[in-house]
């Protein structure tokens, strides 16, 4: 079994302690944080998702895997983020109302912070009112919305409408993402950008500041 397969297997079994130990050791040995993430952790979570879909595992197992993922992301964070410099701008990020999935959102946050932007994280199940308020309070330049459910992705449009109503739509870029979201959907709801993964999102967010 390769190192990445080991990482993936521990994640699938939700072995947080062993996973954190293996990832920490791998970082010390010089294995790239990005490869541990994309070739180990994200692959492992994909397998969990597939088994979940096929009723081979159920919510408790998925939850345990997700907890292990969030624990290990904290270990990877320093290696994924670049050295802190004065923030060039501010992004507000959340998972939208009705949706509790936060792993992708946490990854996007980490990667954006790594580009030198300040990120205000509103968490999960976030209402449009809370987002509008946070944009005002923080003078945000970007709003990043994550949705993992087909039932919650339409709420991204509600957020855009609420920003319009509050007279803020021209002041912020709205970026959308999450597994069911597509470029076509983003165009349909009038978002400024769709990105399929955290790294591309961070790159695009940073590009708004030249
Ligand atoms: Co849920 N879940 N889940 N789940 N879950 C999915 C999403 C699902 C596809 C599983 C399946 O059936 N195969 C399915 C959705 C079906 C659909 O709507 N089409 C599903 C379901 C049905 C549910 C429940 C309804 C199950 C139930 O209760 N019967 C329930 C809903 C709860 C709710 O939210 N109200 C539920 C619950 C849960 C858990 C709580 C058990 C747990 C979440 C724990 C947590 O997040 N803390 C969970 C998990 C873990 C998953 C899967 C297995 C993994 C999601 C994940 O973290 N992936 C997922 C299956 C799957 O996606 N394959 C599934 C890893 C993560 C790195 O990827 O989040 O896609 P992702 O993020 C990516 C990109 O999408 C992008 O960047 C990231 C990678 O770089 N991205 C952005 C994400 N957000 C972005 C924002 C941006 C830009 C890019 O901003 C601009």
């Amino acid at each position: 079994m390769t190192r990445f397969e080991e990482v993936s297997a521990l994640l699938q079994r939700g072995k947080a302690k062993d996973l954190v130990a293996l990832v920490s050791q791998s970082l010390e040995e010089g294995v790239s944080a990005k490869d541990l993430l994309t070739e180990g952790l994200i692959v492992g979570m994909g397998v969990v998702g597939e088994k979940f879909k096929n009723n081979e595992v159920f919510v408790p197992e998925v939850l345990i895997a997700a907890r292990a993922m969030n624990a290990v992301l904290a270990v990877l964070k320093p290696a994924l983020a670049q050295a802190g410099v004065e923030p060039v701008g501010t992004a507000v990020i959340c998972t939208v109302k009705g949706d509790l999935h936060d792993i992708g959102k946490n990854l996007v946050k980490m990667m954006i912070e790594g580009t030198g932007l300040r990120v205000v994280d509103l968490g999960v199940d976030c209402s449009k009112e809370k987002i509008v308020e946070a944009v005002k309070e923080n003078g945000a330049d970007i709003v990043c919305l994550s949705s993992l459910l087909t039932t919650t992705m339409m709420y991204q449009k509600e957020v855009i409408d609420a920003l319009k109503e509050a007279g803020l739509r021209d002041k912020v870029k709205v970026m959308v993402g999450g597994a069911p979201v597509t470029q076509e959907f983003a165009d349909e709801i009038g978002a400024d950008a769709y990105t399929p993964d955290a790294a591309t999102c961070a790159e695009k967010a940073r590009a708004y500041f030249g």
Side-chain angles (χ1 to χ4, degrees), residues 108 111-112 144 175-176 195-206:
V108 171
M111 298 275 194
I112 294 185
C144 291
M175 304 182 73
V176 293
T195 49
D197 58 69
T200 316
C201 180
E203 215 173 277
K204 211 157 191 170
R206 184 64 182 80

Side-chain angles (χ1 to χ4, degrees), residues 46-58 62:
V47 175
V48 174
E50 209 42 44
K51 287 187 174 167
F52 187 36
K53 196 168 70 185
N54 299 329
N55 292 321
E56 291 167 43
V57 298
F58 300 95
V62 181

Side-chain angles (χ1 to χ4, degrees), residues 42 45-46 48-50 52-53 59 62-63 66 69-70 93 98-105 107-108 143-151 175-180 195-199 201:
I42 289 185
M45 198 44 105
V48 174
E50 209 42 44
F52 187 36
K53 196 168 70 185
V59 171
V62 181
L63 203 49
M69 180 81 158
N70 274 327
I93 191 168
D99 201 321
L100 303 175
H101 296 86
D102 69 353
I103 296 171
K105 185 263 300 165
L107 261 177
V108 171
V143 173
C144 291
L145 304 174
S146 181
S147 295
L148 265 286
L149 299 171
T150 42
T151 48
M175 304 182 73
V176 293
T195 49
D197 58 69
C201 180

Side-chain angles (χ1 to χ4, degrees), residues 41-203:
L41 297 167
I42 289 185
V43 170
M45 198 44 105
V47 175
V48 174
E50 209 42 44
K51 287 187 174 167
F52 187 36
K53 196 168 70 185
N54 299 329
N55 292 321
E56 291 167 43
V57 298
F58 300 95
V59 171
E61 288 99 322
V62 181
L63 203 49
I64 291 167
R67 282 200 193 128
M69 180 81 158
N70 274 327
V72 82
L73 284 182
V75 174
L76 281 181
K77 186 175 176 178
L80 289 172
Q82 291 163 359
V85 281
E86 199 53 29
V88 293
T90 299
V92 163
I93 191 168
C94 68
T95 303
V96 301
K97 193 167 178 181
D99 201 321
L100 303 175
H101 296 86
D102 69 353
I103 296 171
K105 185 263 300 165
N106 292 345
L107 261 177
V108 171
K109 175 188 176 190
M110 244 178 237
M111 298 275 194
I112 294 185
E113 279 176 342
T115 70
L117 291 173
R118 180 169 78 105
V119 181
V120 178
D121 184 359
L122 304 180
V124 297
D125 191 21
C126 191
S127 70
K128 54 192 176 184
E129 292 83 7
K130 198 168 163 192
I131 297 168
V132 166
E133 205 44 48
V135 167
K136 278 189 207 155
E137 252 175 43
N138 295 283
D141 308 286
I142 300 174
V143 173
C144 291
L145 304 174
S146 181
S147 295
L148 265 286
L149 299 171
T150 42
T151 48
T152 59
M153 58 196 273
M154 269 322 284
Y155 197 78
Q156 297 186 335
K157 180 172 183 320
E158 290 193 36
V159 175
I160 293 176
D161 291 343
L163 288 167
K164 275 187 200 152
E165 274 169 37
L168 295 166
R169 183 64 188 93
D170 296 341
K171 296 190 173 68
V172 289
K173 298 286 183 197
V174 178
M175 304 182 73
V176 293
V181 179
T182 59
Q183 180 65 58
E184 199 187 358
F185 176 75
D187 293 341
E188 214 176 282
I189 65 169
D192 294 296
Y194 158 74
T195 49
D197 58 69
T200 316
C201 180
E203 215 173 277

Side-chain angles (χ1 to χ4, degrees), residues 20-35:
V20 165
L22 181 63
V23 166
S24 304
Q25 185 199 330
S26 305
L27 288 173
E28 275 166 30
E29 288 170 6
V31 182
S32 126
K34 192 169 156 277
D35 291 348

